[in-house]
Structure formats: C-alpha cells, structure tokens
Amino acid sequence: MSSSLRTSGLLTALAGLPGDRIAVGTIVAALQDRAYALLVVLLGLPNCLPMPPPIPLVCGLVLAFIALQMLMGRRMPWLPQALLTRSIGKPELNRAVERALPALVRLERFSKPRLTMLGSPYAVPVLGLLMLVLALGLIVAAPFIGQIPLGLAVCLVGLGLVERDGVLIIIGAVFGAAGLLLSAGFAYAIFSGIHELLF
C-alpha cells in the first residue's frame, strides 16, 4: 500500500483487498512499514467505547506484545504463525471500517505532518515503551469504562504514527497519563478493599 495514504485510506484499502476472507498475515504484509502504527490503532479502537471483560485484557496483552517488539527496534512486527494464518471475514472487516471511518476522517482534518521526529524510526523504541505502559494500564483498567481514556490514548498515538503527526502523539500521551491515573486509583481501591477484608 502507498505510504502516502492516510489512516482512513489504509483502512478502506484493507477492506478492498480481494477474497471473502483476509488472513492476518496478508493485512500485516499489505501495511508494510506502517504495520506497527495501524496495529496500534486497531488495538486501541475497541477500547474507545465501554467494553466488557475480557476485551481490554486481550487488547492489552496483544498491545504489550507489539510494544516489546517496538522496544527491540524490529522493523516489522512479528506475529505467531497461528495468528498470521487466521482470517477475518470481509463483512466483519467492512463493518468495523465503516464504524471507524467517520471519527478518523474528522481527526485527519486536524492532523498533518508536524514534530515529525516523534514519528521517526529513532523514536519507535521510545514509543514502544509508552505503548507498553499503556498496555499494562489496559490490563488492569476498571471494567466497562476505565479503559476508555487508555483506548483513546493508544488510538491517538497510533494515528500520530500513521499521519507522522507528533502533536497527536503528545495528545495521546496526555490522555494516557489520565487513563493511567484512573487505573492506578482503581487498582489501589481494590487492594485497599482486600487489605481491609483480610486484616
């Protein structure tokens, strides 16, 4: 896929790939050098709305796996063969893309290449560390609503990478800090409650 495509264009192009089903490996190969960025967006999107367990947990675990590879400086994400061979039905993919496109198009009107050093290959390990922290936050987020700020943060950072927009990445980091504070407060409340019950 052309590196000049915007996020909405990438998703539309993915939905337009031939076949009734599309293998995860085909999607990763089609994304080429933008695979990390769009995988991050796709993992953040489900958490931007109230979602029941275990969706935030699963997304957080996969995101942590991706983030560790970013930290290691891998040029392309590695996924297990069992996952690469799994496929997604075109109707399901089309529905997901249709739901995501309106919000993405609105964000793209605001987004443009700026502070591009934050989206450079040299910044990928640093962003990997940020993604790892956000992933851990998703794993312990409060059910149903606690993951929303973290989901928004993950999406904004991913969009910033796709659009080469450092401002979006910074805004995503701010949302992430707010989400982590909420998750920390939730975790503290749980541990305090357990401590009072036991002692």
Side-chain angles (χ1 to χ4, degrees):
M1 291 185 184
S2 170
S3 61
S4 62
L5 285 176
R6 306 200 75 178
T7 311
S8 57
L10 282 170
L11 289 177
T12 302
L14 281 178
L17 289 173
D20 294 328
R21 300 187 67 82
I22 302 173
V24 173
T26 302
I27 293 174
V28 173
L31 294 174
Q32 298 175 11
D33 62 327
R34 302 167 93 177
Y36 275 128
L38 205 62
L39 279 173
V40 166
V41 174
L42 292 173
L43 289 167
L45 278 174
N47 298 287
C48 292
L49 296 170
M51 286 289 174
I55 291 175
L57 172 64
V58 172
C59 289
L61 289 172
V62 178
L63 182 62
F65 182 67
I66 298 296
L68 285 171
Q69 295 184 60
M70 294 172 71
L71 264 170
M72 293 164 58
R74 286 185 62 92
R75 193 180 68 85
M76 292 278 289
W78 178 87
L79 296 172
Q81 191 62 33
L83 180 57
L84 291 173
T85 55
R86 292 183 70 94
S87 61
I88 302 168
K90 283 291 287 294
E92 291 83 2
L93 182 60
N94 286 333
R95 277 198 298 271
V97 169
E98 285 172 8
R99 289 175 185 170
L101 280 180
L104 290 176
V105 169
R106 284 195 292 272
L107 271 173
E108 285 172 353
R109 293 195 192 108
F110 164 77
S111 178
K112 59 185 177 182
R114 49 195 167 180
L115 297 178
T116 52
M117 65 278 199
L118 292 177
S120 70
Y122 302 105
V124 168
V126 177
L127 294 175
L129 179 60
L130 172 61
M131 286 293 103
L132 182 59
V133 172
L134 294 178
L136 296 175
L138 276 175
I139 290 169
V140 300
F144 298 104
I145 60 169
Q147 83 279 5
I148 292 176
L150 293 166
L152 288 170
V154 170
C155 280
L156 287 169
V157 173
L159 284 169
L161 281 170
V162 177
E163 302 291 331
R164 297 172 176 86
D165 187 348
V167 172
L168 270 187
I169 292 173
I170 292 171
I171 294 172
V174 171
F175 270 94
L180 289 170
L181 285 173
L182 286 174
S183 291
F186 175 69
Y188 177 77
I190 288 177
F191 286 122
S192 295
I194 293 172
H195 184 270
E196 287 179 9
L197 284 173
L198 295 177
F199 303 100

